[in-house]
């Protein structure tokens, strides 16, 4: 028998002074990221690279992938095998916080094999309606209109906030448009409703809830940014104008952040995060 929607997933809400403050202004993000590969292959060199950064530098770290693996010791999901030493990642998170960096956690959100497998009613179904739709990578996708999905994402954000992060970025925050992926309703509207619920529930004046989402997505009200991954430098200006016109972004220097491995200065007019390994070259310029 398939699990019930939201079965075994608790949800915690913020109240009073801990709720979102929509009047707080975010600042320009120019910093670095630590991706899954770096955590797997270069863990021993990360700390020395961080020590060389000025206090307050934005640093984003990948903490969950599309397989459903968490790279830190999380109480949200059952423990899974991973090539990453979660104890060392926990130590790294504490070190980042102690070093006074602006810390950003990136987690893959609606693309999640493990949660989809174990919470079938929360997933995007195949047109046959007999099983969940899988993408070319064999991953399941979650339906943001389902209570179980929202409980899961809410608990992740609240856990990361409790660990001292300044911001969470929900990447892969989209609904597949493949012909055999069933979704009844407007995809962009569903994403916007879910995003506003997440920021209203989890965000506050000290914690931003942000998204790597389709360009048609409207940024929710509150402390939130739109992250763009793998853009070409020549596209930066066009993307910035598009999100100004259609995504509710009013200040692209603050609310728009490019994640790129390229050292092209056309990104610097906006927010930009580059690999931590590039820190020496970027700061020398």
């Amino acid at each position: 028998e398939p699990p019930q929607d939201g079965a075994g997933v608790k949800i915690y809400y913020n109240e009073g002074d801990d709720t979102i403050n929509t009047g707080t202004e975010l600042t320009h993000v120019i910093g670095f990221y630590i991706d899954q590969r770096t955590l797997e292959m270069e863990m021993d060199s990360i700390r020395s690279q961080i020590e060389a950064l000025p206090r307050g530098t934005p640093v984003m770290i990948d903490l969950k992938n599309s397989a459903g693996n968490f790279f830190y010791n999380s109480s949200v999901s059952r423990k899974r095998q991973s090539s990453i030493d979660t104890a060392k990642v926990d130590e790294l998170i504490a070190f980042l916080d102690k070093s006074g960096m602006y810390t950003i956690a990136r987690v893959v959100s609606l693309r999640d094999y493990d949660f989809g497998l174990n919470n079938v009613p929360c997933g995007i179904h195949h047109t046959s309606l007999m099983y969940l739709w899988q993408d070319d990578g064999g991953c399941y996708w979650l339906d943001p209109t389902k209570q179980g999905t929202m409980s899961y994402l809410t608990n992740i954000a609240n856990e990361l906030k409790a660990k001292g992060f300044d911001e969470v970025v929900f990447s892969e925050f989209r609904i597949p448009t493949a012909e055999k992926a069933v979704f009844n309703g407007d995809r962009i509207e569903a994403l916007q409703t879910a995003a506003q619920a997440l920021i209203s529930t989890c965000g506050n004046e000290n914690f931003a809830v942000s998204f790597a989402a389709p360009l048609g997505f409207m940024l929710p009200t509150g402390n939130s940014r739109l992250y763009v991954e793998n853009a070409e430098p020549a596209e930066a200006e066009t993307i910035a104008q598009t999100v100004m016109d259609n995504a509710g972004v009013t200040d692209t220097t603050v609310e728009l952040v490019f994640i790129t491995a390229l050292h092209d200065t056309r990104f610097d007019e906006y927010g930009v995060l580059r690999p931590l390994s590039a820190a020496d070259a970027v700061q020398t310029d």
Side-chain angles (χ1 to χ4, degrees):
E1 181 180 350
Q4 297 301 307
D5 187 4
V9 181
K10 297 180 180 179
I11 183 168
Y12 301 94
Y13 294 95
N14 295 331
E15 298 178 354
D17 293 338
D18 198 30
T19 54
I20 182 172
N21 182 332
T22 59
T24 301
E25 293 185 1
L26 298 172
T27 57
H28 193 194
V29 169
I30 297 288
F32 305 96
Y33 66 80
I34 303 167
D35 60 11
Q36 178 178 344
R37 180 197 166 281
T38 303
L39 293 174
E40 290 172 337
M41 307 296 294
E42 302 174 33
M43 178 64 81
D44 293 339
S45 65
I46 291 175
R47 181 170 296 210
S48 61
Q49 291 174 309
I50 292 171
E51 288 174 337
L53 300 177
R55 188 177 180 85
T57 299
V59 178
M60 183 179 75
I61 179 172
D62 279 354
L63 291 179
K64 176 185 172 294
N65 64 13
S66 58
N69 290 323
F70 287 71
F71 306 150
Y72 65 101
N73 286 305
S74 171
S75 62
V76 175
S77 181
R78 61 200 183 97
K79 190 172 180 62
R80 290 170 52 82
Q81 284 189 328
S82 172
S83 57
I84 294 173
D85 187 330
T86 55
K88 287 187 176 181
V89 175
D90 287 341
E91 292 174 1
L92 175 60
I93 291 170
F95 177 71
L96 282 166
D97 186 49
K98 183 179 179 181
S99 300
M101 303 301 166
Y102 180 85
T103 52
I104 308 167
R106 179 167 63 170
V107 296
V108 177
S109 57
L110 296 179
R111 188 176 188 238
D112 191 310
Y113 177 85
D114 187 65
F115 191 81
L117 179 67
N118 291 285
N119 297 270
V120 173
C122 295
I124 299 293
H125 282 73
H126 188 274
T127 49
S128 69
L129 301 181
M130 296 181 64
Y131 48 86
L132 295 183
W133 178 80
Q134 289 181 289
D135 62 21
D136 291 342
C139 277
Y140 300 123
W141 287 75
L142 309 182
D143 184 339
T145 68
K146 301 297 184 180
Q147 180 183 355
T149 298
M150 292 302 294
S151 298
Y152 180 53
L153 298 182
T154 296
N155 288 340
I156 292 172
N158 281 338
E159 181 173 69
L160 294 169
K161 178 169 59 176
K163 286 184 174 293
F165 279 92
D166 298 296
E167 184 171 351
V168 62
V169 179
F170 287 114
S171 70
E172 296 286 13
F173 195 74
R174 57 190 177 90
I175 301 172
T177 57
E179 183 179 352
K180 294 186 178 181
V182 176
F183 183 80
N184 296 318
D186 187 293
R187 286 171 166 80
I188 294 297
E189 182 179 345
L191 290 174
Q192 290 172 185
T193 299
Q196 192 64 64
L198 287 167
I199 195 170
S200 297
T201 302
C202 308
N204 61 37
E205 58 196 31
N206 298 311
F207 186 71
V209 180
S210 301
F211 305 89
L215 291 181
F217 168 82
M218 178 71 69
L219 200 65
T221 302
N223 281 355
S224 187
R225 305 184 218 262
L226 183 64
Y227 283 72
V228 177
E229 302 167 324
N230 303 316
E232 293 296 327
E235 300 173 330
E237 185 177 354
T238 300
I239 290 172
Q241 188 61 55
T242 298
V243 299
M244 286 277 286
D245 293 341
N246 304 312
V249 171
T250 57
D251 185 348
T252 55
T253 64
V254 171
E255 297 171 300
L256 175 64
V257 181
F258 289 96
I259 302 173
T260 180
L262 303 176
H263 192 154
D264 193 295
T265 57
R266 281 175 286 186
F267 291 118
D268 293 0
E269 182 179 345
Y270 319 101
V272 61
L273 296 173
R274 295 185 171 93
L276 182 62
S277 59
D280 288 343
V282 170
Q283 293 182 99
T284 300
D285 287 352

